[in-house]
Amino acid sequence: MDFEAIFEAKLAPLHEDGNYRVFAEIERKAGSFPKATRFIDGGTQDVTVWCSNDYLGMGQHPKIMKAMHEAIDRTGTGAGGTRNISGTNHDHVLLEKELADWHGKDSALIFTSGYVSNWAALGTLGSAIDGCVIFSDSLNHASMIEGIRHSRAGKEIWKHNDPEDLDRLLSKYGPEVPKLVAFESVYSMDGDIAPIAEICDVADKHGAMTYLDEVHAVGLYGPRGAGIAEREGIMHRIDVIEGTLGKAVGVMGGYITGSDKLCDFIRSFASGFIFTTAIPPALAAGAAASIRHLKTSEIERMRQKERVAKFRSMLDAKGIPHMDNPSHIVPVMVGDAAKCKYLSDLLMDQYGIYVQPINYPTVPKGTERLRFTPTPMHSDDDMGHLVNALSDLWSQCALSRAVA
């Protein structure tokens, strides 16, 4: 069997359709976010990063860096094992207490990534609750889809952000059937926000458990940065709030929060928690420092909100089409995979602007885009350089402009 030929045959269509992923090799500059150094062809190039999920620049905040340095000096590097076998360090326990407090829950459980926390939690809930049926929003993240698939539970896919369709599907099952409604708050590609209260109303009507992914919202919304559910004053209506430590918190890892019994249930039955090495104590210490800061500081959130609004207005002035939404994510619509990749390459090579093209299968064909995430650290000059570059390339590529 010629396995190399199989690999080549599978990869070829990605190249032909413009969907082949190319990873930019960069080195972030501590204290200079969003500036970075790109490594290419034996040389380097200074670039400005416009697609980072480090939404608030907390990954280079002095408090977080200090906490991580101190933790390494105090504990060393790795955790030393799984959480069950010598790997539960004091910093893990402190972080879980911060997370539970952040979301107004009894307990929290940390994982190695947000992907793993979704996969493990949904997979465990779906498989270990006999007869459970999971109701999944049609645009849920791949990690949620994989967790549901792994659970082998019954599933129903409801129309995106449509409580009426959710109600219709839930009505197919009697009160004796355990039901779990899984959805996100901020959807990362379109930047739209779920009607959480209305979804909770429907779930309550049918006695369903609610599972909310807040990975693109934690740190950014709410008086203490706990997410959209906090902003709306409805965290108490959500049974499981899942989040990440690798985006606005600025470190790495994932987590769930919920009741004591729910978290103990996941802790006791989730293979993705039980059989993997715990995150290093330094990561936990850095995440805890970041969350403590974000609970009390509004500066980063206010500055980011202002930067996003200004960026949108500058795009409008140049007629650059972008998807309107109420979040911090600004998708500039291209609608063609090859052109999207071409624009991304030109922005990087000619203008020192790094933005990743978003193509199929991440988004549907025909909706290819450049996904921009303005941060508090992007200056007026950064934005002016980017918008002028986009305007030049829009003309070069004969792309349609938005009508004011």
Side-chain angles (χ1 to χ4, degrees):
M1 180 66 68
D2 188 350
F3 289 104
E4 293 297 309
I6 293 173
F7 302 150
E8 185 177 356
K10 290 290 186 181
L11 288 168
L14 298 179
H15 290 278
E16 294 166 4
D17 296 339
N19 291 325
Y20 182 75
R21 288 181 170 89
V22 177
F23 296 165
E25 181 185 352
I26 65 170
E27 182 177 90
R28 303 197 330 152
K29 298 180 180 179
S32 300
F33 184 81
K35 306 302 180 184
T37 299
R38 177 195 187 194
F39 292 81
I40 183 171
D41 298 332
T44 61
Q45 175 192 12
D46 291 334
V47 299
T48 301
V49 180
W50 273 97
C51 54
S52 176
N53 284 341
D54 187 359
Y55 293 133
L56 299 176
M58 295 301 290
Q60 299 184 11
H61 194 286
K63 286 184 181 178
I64 288 77
M65 294 175 67
K66 180 182 178 184
M68 294 184 72
H69 280 297
E70 289 178 349
I72 289 175
D73 292 340
R74 175 167 38 86
T75 71
T77 53
T82 65
R83 289 292 297 272
N84 184 52
I85 303 176
S86 83
T88 295
N89 286 255
H90 184 53
D91 286 297
H92 296 133
V93 176
L94 294 178
L95 172 57
E96 286 172 342
K97 288 179 179 178
E98 287 288 351
L99 289 165
D101 173 78
W102 208 19
H103 293 290
K105 301 298 182 186
D106 298 331
S107 295
L109 206 60
I110 52 176
F111 295 80
T112 50
S113 73
Y115 190 104
V116 173
S117 56
N118 268 333
W119 176 82
L122 285 168
T124 301
L125 290 168
S127 62
I129 299 175
D130 292 339
C132 183
V133 178
I134 301 178
F135 297 78
S136 178
D137 185 286
S138 62
L139 292 188
N140 274 344
H141 189 262
S143 58
M144 302 177 78
I145 294 169
E146 285 297 318
I148 295 166
R149 181 182 295 139
H150 175 72
S151 77
R152 298 185 178 179
K155 69 175 184 295
E156 297 278 3
I157 311 297
W158 46 288
K159 294 177 184 176
H160 177 55
N161 280 350
D162 188 337
E164 290 184 6
D165 192 53
L166 174 62
D167 186 34
R168 178 183 66 82
L169 292 172
L170 282 163
S171 297
K172 294 166 54 178
Y173 298 85
E176 74 285 357
V177 177
K179 308 171 190 70
L180 171 62
V181 175
F183 61 108
E184 301 180 41
S185 57
V186 178
Y187 286 82
S188 62
M189 290 300 111
D190 289 352
D192 55 334
I193 294 176
I196 300 175
E198 290 86 344
I199 292 169
C200 287
D201 289 342
V202 174
D204 290 347
K205 174 183 173 182
H206 295 276
M209 181 185 297
T210 47
Y211 183 107
L212 178 64
D213 176 319
E214 289 254 42
V215 297
H216 291 278
V218 290
L220 303 170
Y221 302 92
R224 297 201 307 162
I228 298 295
E230 185 200 26
R231 187 186 73 177
E232 303 299 319
I234 53 177
M235 287 195 296
H236 63 285
R237 300 190 65 185
I238 305 295
D239 294 297
V240 185
I241 296 178
E242 184 269 349
T244 183
L245 307 172
K247 293 183 171 61
V249 175
V251 191
M252 179 186 174
Y255 64 89
I256 61 164
T257 63
S259 69
D260 284 333
K261 284 187 172 62
L262 185 146
C263 288
D264 193 21
F265 183 82
I266 301 298
R267 183 189 70 89
S268 300
F269 294 106
S271 62
F273 176 82
I274 297 169
F275 297 109
T276 191
T277 301
I279 65 171
L283 289 180
S290 179
I291 292 165
R292 283 194 295 270
H293 176 83
L294 291 171
K295 283 178 178 178
T296 60
S297 175
E298 285 281 354
I299 295 172
E300 292 83 6
R301 290 188 282 276
M302 291 173 62
R303 172 71 174 172
Q304 191 212 34
K305 186 176 180 180
E306 182 273 329
R307 294 284 83 189
V308 171
K310 180 155 189 174
F311 180 53
R312 287 186 179 277
S313 69
M314 294 173 71
L315 290 172
D316 289 338
K318 295 288 188 179
I320 305 299
H322 58 97
M323 187 177 289
D324 188 28
N325 64 51
S327 76
H328 57 285
I329 294 165
V330 185
V332 168
M333 307 308 292
V334 180
D336 179 273
K339 286 184 178 179
C340 199
K341 176 67 168 61
Y342 180 64
L343 286 169
S344 173
D345 289 344
L346 288 179
L347 285 168
M348 180 79 100
D349 295 338
Q350 296 184 12
Y351 298 91
I353 293 167
Y354 175 32
V355 60
Q356 197 70 17
I358 307 296
N359 294 336
Y360 178 83
T362 307
V363 295
K365 291 180 180 179
T367 69
E368 293 83 2
R369 66 201 64 180
L370 300 172
R371 177 184 177 273
F372 294 95
T373 53
T375 73
M377 288 76 172
H378 282 98
S379 67
D380 286 351
D381 287 343
D382 291 332
M383 289 195 288
H385 179 58
L386 168 57
V387 172
N388 287 333
L390 284 172
S391 184
D392 290 346
L393 294 177
W394 235 250
S395 297
Q396 289 180 35
C397 296
L399 293 169
S400 298
R401 294 185 186 255
V403 178

Short mmCIF file of all heavy atoms in Angstrom, two decimals, residues 172-210:
data_model
loop_
_atom_site.label_atom_id
_atom_site.label_comp_id
_atom_site.label_asym_id
_atom_site.label_seq_id
_atom_site.Cartn_x
_atom_site.Cartn_y
_atom_site.Cartn_z
N LYS A 172 -40.20 17.12 20.82
CA LYS A 172 -40.30 15.74 20.31
C LYS A 172 -40.03 14.71 21.41
O LYS A 172 -40.30 13.52 21.23
CB LYS A 172 -39.29 15.53 19.17
CG LYS A 172 -39.58 16.33 17.92
CD LYS A 172 -38.40 16.35 16.96
CE LYS A 172 -37.89 14.97 16.59
NZ LYS A 172 -36.76 15.03 15.62
N TYR A 173 -39.49 15.16 22.55
CA TYR A 173 -39.07 14.23 23.59
C TYR A 173 -39.84 14.51 24.88
O TYR A 173 -40.07 15.66 25.26
CB TYR A 173 -37.57 14.37 23.84
CG TYR A 173 -36.74 14.04 22.62
CD1 TYR A 173 -36.48 15.00 21.66
CD2 TYR A 173 -36.24 12.77 22.42
CE1 TYR A 173 -35.74 14.71 20.52
CE2 TYR A 173 -35.49 12.45 21.29
CZ TYR A 173 -35.25 13.43 20.34
OH TYR A 173 -34.51 13.13 19.23
N GLY A 174 -40.23 13.43 25.56
CA GLY A 174 -40.99 13.54 26.79
C GLY A 174 -40.15 13.96 27.97
O GLY A 174 -38.91 13.99 27.90
N PRO A 175 -40.80 14.25 29.09
CA PRO A 175 -40.08 14.71 30.29
C PRO A 175 -39.15 13.66 30.88
O PRO A 175 -38.25 13.99 31.66
CB PRO A 175 -41.21 15.07 31.26
CG PRO A 175 -42.40 14.30 30.78
CD PRO A 175 -42.25 14.20 29.30
N GLU A 176 -39.35 12.39 30.51
CA GLU A 176 -38.50 11.32 31.05
C GLU A 176 -37.14 11.25 30.37
O GLU A 176 -36.23 10.56 30.85
CB GLU A 176 -39.21 9.97 30.91
CG GLU A 176 -39.25 9.39 29.50
CD GLU A 176 -40.26 10.06 28.57
OE1 GLU A 176 -40.99 10.95 29.03
OE2 GLU A 176 -40.30 9.69 27.38
N VAL A 177 -36.96 11.99 29.25
CA VAL A 177 -35.71 11.95 28.49
C VAL A 177 -34.77 13.04 28.99
O VAL A 177 -35.12 14.23 28.96
CB VAL A 177 -35.98 12.13 26.98
CG1 VAL A 177 -34.65 12.17 26.20
CG2 VAL A 177 -36.88 11.03 26.45
N PRO A 178 -33.55 12.70 29.45
CA PRO A 178 -32.58 13.73 29.84
C PRO A 178 -32.14 14.54 28.62
O PRO A 178 -31.78 13.97 27.58
CB PRO A 178 -31.41 12.92 30.42
CG PRO A 178 -31.95 11.56 30.67
CD PRO A 178 -33.02 11.34 29.65
N LYS A 179 -32.17 15.86 28.73
CA LYS A 179 -31.87 16.72 27.59
C LYS A 179 -30.77 17.71 27.97
O LYS A 179 -30.75 18.24 29.09
CB LYS A 179 -33.12 17.49 27.15
CG LYS A 179 -34.35 16.60 26.91
CD LYS A 179 -35.59 17.45 26.68
CE LYS A 179 -36.85 16.62 26.68
NZ LYS A 179 -37.17 16.10 28.06
N LEU A 180 -29.90 17.99 27.02
CA LEU A 180 -28.81 18.94 27.21
C LEU A 180 -28.76 19.89 26.02
O LEU A 180 -28.65 19.44 24.87
CB LEU A 180 -27.48 18.20 27.35
CG LEU A 180 -26.20 19.03 27.36
CD1 LEU A 180 -26.18 19.98 28.56
CD2 LEU A 180 -24.97 18.13 27.40
N VAL A 181 -28.85 21.19 26.28
CA VAL A 181 -28.80 22.20 25.22
C VAL A 181 -27.41 22.83 25.23
O VAL A 181 -26.99 23.42 26.23
CB VAL A 181 -29.87 23.29 25.43
CG1 VAL A 181 -29.73 24.40 24.39
CG2 VAL A 181 -31.27 22.67 25.38
N ALA A 182 -26.69 22.68 24.13
CA ALA A 182 -25.30 23.16 24.03
C ALA A 182 -25.20 24.27 22.99
O ALA A 182 -25.63 24.09 21.84
CB ALA A 182 -24.38 22.01 23.66
N PHE A 183 -24.61 25.40 23.39
CA PHE A 183 -24.49 26.53 22.48
C PHE A 183 -23.35 27.44 22.94
O PHE A 183 -22.78 27.24 24.00
CB PHE A 183 -25.81 27.29 22.37
CG PHE A 183 -26.31 27.89 23.66
CD1 PHE A 183 -26.27 29.26 23.86
CD2 PHE A 183 -26.84 27.09 24.67
CE1 PHE A 183 -26.75 29.83 25.04
CE2 PHE A 183 -27.31 27.63 25.85
CZ PHE A 183 -27.27 29.01 26.04
N GLU A 184 -23.04 28.42 22.11
CA GLU A 184 -21.98 29.39 22.42
C GLU A 184 -22.59 30.76 22.70
O GLU A 184 -23.74 31.02 22.36
CB GLU A 184 -21.00 29.49 21.25
CG GLU A 184 -20.33 28.18 20.88
CD GLU A 184 -19.36 28.33 19.72
OE1 GLU A 184 -18.62 29.33 19.67
OE2 GLU A 184 -19.34 27.44 18.85
N SER A 185 -21.80 31.63 23.31
CA SER A 185 -22.27 33.01 23.50
C SER A 185 -21.85 33.87 22.32
O SER A 185 -22.69 34.39 21.58
CB SER A 185 -21.74 33.58 24.82
OG SER A 185 -20.33 33.54 24.88
N VAL A 186 -20.54 33.99 22.09
CA VAL A 186 -20.03 34.71 20.92
C VAL A 186 -19.50 33.68 19.92
O VAL A 186 -18.64 32.87 20.27
CB VAL A 186 -18.90 35.69 21.31
CG1 VAL A 186 -18.34 36.39 20.06
CG2 VAL A 186 -19.40 36.73 22.30
N TYR A 187 -20.01 33.74 18.71
CA TYR A 187 -19.56 32.80 17.67
C TYR A 187 -18.39 33.43 16.92
O TYR A 187 -18.48 34.56 16.43
CB TYR A 187 -20.73 32.45 16.74
CG TYR A 187 -21.71 31.52 17.42
CD1 TYR A 187 -22.68 32.01 18.28
CD2 TYR A 187 -21.60 30.14 17.26
CE1 TYR A 187 -23.55 31.15 18.95
CE2 TYR A 187 -22.46 29.27 17.91
CZ TYR A 187 -23.44 29.77 18.76
OH TYR A 187 -24.28 28.93 19.42
N SER A 188 -17.30 32.69 16.85
CA SER A 188 -16.00 33.27 16.53
C SER A 188 -15.82 33.69 15.09
O SER A 188 -14.97 34.53 14.79
CB SER A 188 -14.87 32.29 16.90
OG SER A 188 -14.98 31.10 16.14
N MET A 189 -16.57 33.13 14.15
CA MET A 189 -16.36 33.48 12.75
C MET A 189 -17.25 34.64 12.30
O MET A 189 -16.80 35.53 11.58
CB MET A 189 -16.60 32.26 11.86
CG MET A 189 -15.53 31.19 12.00
SD MET A 189 -13.87 31.79 11.56
CE MET A 189 -13.06 31.79 13.16
N ASP A 190 -18.52 34.65 12.73
CA ASP A 190 -19.42 35.74 12.35
C ASP A 190 -19.48 36.83 13.41
O ASP A 190 -19.91 37.95 13.14
CB ASP A 190 -20.84 35.21 12.12
CG ASP A 190 -20.94 34.38 10.84
OD1 ASP A 190 -19.96 34.33 10.08
OD2 ASP A 190 -22.00 33.76 10.62
N GLY A 191 -19.08 36.49 14.64
CA GLY A 191 -19.09 37.47 15.72
C GLY A 191 -20.47 37.78 16.27
O GLY A 191 -20.63 38.77 17.00
N ASP A 192 -21.48 36.96 15.94
CA ASP A 192 -22.81 37.21 16.47
C ASP A 192 -22.93 36.61 17.88
O ASP A 192 -22.10 35.82 18.31
CB ASP A 192 -23.89 36.65 15.54
CG ASP A 192 -23.70 35.18 15.23
OD1 ASP A 192 -22.55 34.69 15.29
OD2 ASP A 192 -24.70 34.51 14.92
N ILE A 193 -23.97 37.04 18.59
CA ILE A 193 -24.14 36.67 19.99
C ILE A 193 -25.48 35.97 20.19
O ILE A 193 -26.50 36.40 19.65
CB ILE A 193 -24.03 37.92 20.89
CG1 ILE A 193 -22.61 38.50 20.81
CG2 ILE A 193 -24.41 37.60 22.33
CD1 ILE A 193 -22.42 39.79 21.58
N ALA A 194 -25.46 34.90 20.95
CA ALA A 194 -26.66 34.10 21.18
C ALA A 194 -27.66 34.82 22.06
O ALA A 194 -27.28 35.56 22.98
CB ALA A 194 -26.27 32.76 21.82
N PRO A 195 -28.97 34.59 21.83
CA PRO A 195 -30.02 35.10 22.73
C PRO A 195 -30.13 34.17 23.94
O PRO A 195 -31.02 33.34 24.03
CB PRO A 195 -31.27 35.06 21.84
CG PRO A 195 -31.02 33.92 20.90
CD PRO A 195 -29.53 33.90 20.66
N ILE A 196 -29.21 34.33 24.87
CA ILE A 196 -29.06 33.36 25.95
C ILE A 196 -30.32 33.24 26.80
O ILE A 196 -30.76 32.13 27.14
CB ILE A 196 -27.85 33.73 26.83
CG1 ILE A 196 -26.56 33.72 25.99
CG2 ILE A 196 -27.71 32.75 27.99
CD1 ILE A 196 -25.33 34.19 26.76
N ALA A 197 -30.93 34.36 27.16
CA ALA A 197 -32.11 34.31 28.02
C ALA A 197 -33.24 33.54 27.35
O ALA A 197 -33.90 32.71 28.00
CB ALA A 197 -32.56 35.72 28.37
N GLU A 198 -33.46 33.79 26.07
CA GLU A 198 -34.53 33.10 25.36
C GLU A 198 -34.26 31.60 25.26
O GLU A 198 -35.17 30.77 25.38
CB GLU A 198 -34.71 33.70 23.97
CG GLU A 198 -35.30 35.10 23.94
CD GLU A 198 -34.24 36.19 24.09
OE1 GLU A 198 -33.10 35.86 24.51
OE2 GLU A 198 -34.54 37.36 23.78
N ILE A 199 -32.99 31.25 25.04
CA ILE A 199 -32.62 29.83 24.98
C ILE A 199 -32.84 29.18 26.34
O ILE A 199 -33.35 28.05 26.42
CB ILE A 199 -31.16 29.68 24.51
CG1 ILE A 199 -31.02 30.13 23.04
CG2 ILE A 199 -30.67 28.25 24.69
CD1 ILE A 199 -29.59 30.28 22.57
N CYS A 200 -32.50 29.88 27.41
CA CYS A 200 -32.73 29.35 28.76
C CYS A 200 -34.21 29.17 29.03
O CYS A 200 -34.62 28.19 29.68
CB CYS A 200 -32.11 30.27 29.80
SG CYS A 200 -30.31 30.21 29.89
N ASP A 201 -35.04 30.11 28.54
CA ASP A 201 -36.49 29.98 28.72
C ASP A 201 -36.99 28.67 28.11
O ASP A 201 -37.79 27.94 28.71
CB ASP A 201 -37.22 31.15 28.07
CG ASP A 201 -37.03 32.46 28.81
OD1 ASP A 201 -36.63 32.42 29.99
OD2 ASP A 201 -37.27 33.53 28.20
N VAL A 202 -36.52 28.38 26.90
CA VAL A 202 -36.93 27.15 26.21
C VAL A 202 -36.41 25.92 26.94
O VAL A 202 -37.13 24.94 27.13
CB VAL A 202 -36.45 27.16 24.74
CG1 VAL A 202 -36.75 25.84 24.06
CG2 VAL A 202 -37.10 28.31 23.97
N ALA A 203 -35.16 25.98 27.36
CA ALA A 203 -34.58 24.84 28.08
C ALA A 203 -35.33 24.58 29.38
O ALA A 203 -35.63 23.42 29.73
CB ALA A 203 -33.10 25.10 28.35
N ASP A 204 -35.65 25.65 30.10
CA ASP A 204 -36.38 25.49 31.36
C ASP A 204 -37.75 24.86 31.13
O ASP A 204 -38.21 24.01 31.91
CB ASP A 204 -36.56 26.85 32.05
CG ASP A 204 -35.26 27.41 32.60
OD1 ASP A 204 -34.27 26.65 32.69
OD2 ASP A 204 -35.23 28.61 32.94
N LYS A 205 -38.39 25.28 30.06
CA LYS A 205 -39.72 24.76 29.72
C LYS A 205 -39.70 23.24 29.57
O LYS A 205 -40.66 22.55 29.92
CB LYS A 205 -40.20 25.43 28.42
CG LYS A 205 -41.49 24.89 27.85
CD LYS A 205 -41.81 25.57 26.53
CE LYS A 205 -43.01 24.93 25.84
NZ LYS A 205 -43.29 25.58 24.52
N HIS A 206 -38.58 22.72 29.06
CA HIS A 206 -38.49 21.28 28.79
C HIS A 206 -37.60 20.54 29.80
O HIS A 206 -37.29 19.36 29.60
CB HIS A 206 -37.95 21.07 27.37
CG HIS A 206 -38.86 21.57 26.31
ND1 HIS A 206 -39.91 20.83 25.82
CD2 HIS A 206 -38.90 22.76 25.65
CE1 HIS A 206 -40.55 21.54 24.89
NE2 HIS A 206 -39.95 22.70 24.76
N GLY A 207 -37.20 21.22 30.87
CA GLY A 207 -36.38 20.58 31.89
C GLY A 207 -35.01 20.16 31.40
O GLY A 207 -34.45 19.15 31.87
N ALA A 208 -34.43 20.94 30.47
CA ALA A 208 -33.14 20.60 29.88
C ALA A 208 -31.99 21.29 30.62
O ALA A 208 -32.13 22.41 31.12
CB ALA A 208 -33.11 21.00 28.41
N MET A 209 -30.86 20.62 30.67
CA MET A 209 -29.64 21.22 31.17
C MET A 209 -29.07 22.16 30.11
O MET A 209 -29.22 21.92 28.92
CB MET A 209 -28.62 20.12 31.50
CG MET A 209 -27.30 20.61 32.07
SD MET A 209 -26.08 19.27 32.29
CE MET A 209 -26.94 18.27 33.50
N THR A 210 -28.42 23.25 30.54
CA THR A 210 -27.82 24.21 29.61
C THR A 210 -26.30 24.18 29.71
O THR A 210 -25.74 24.16 30.82
CB THR A 210 -28.33 25.63 29.87
OG1 THR A 210 -28.26 25.91 31.28
CG2 THR A 210 -29.77 25.79 29.40
#
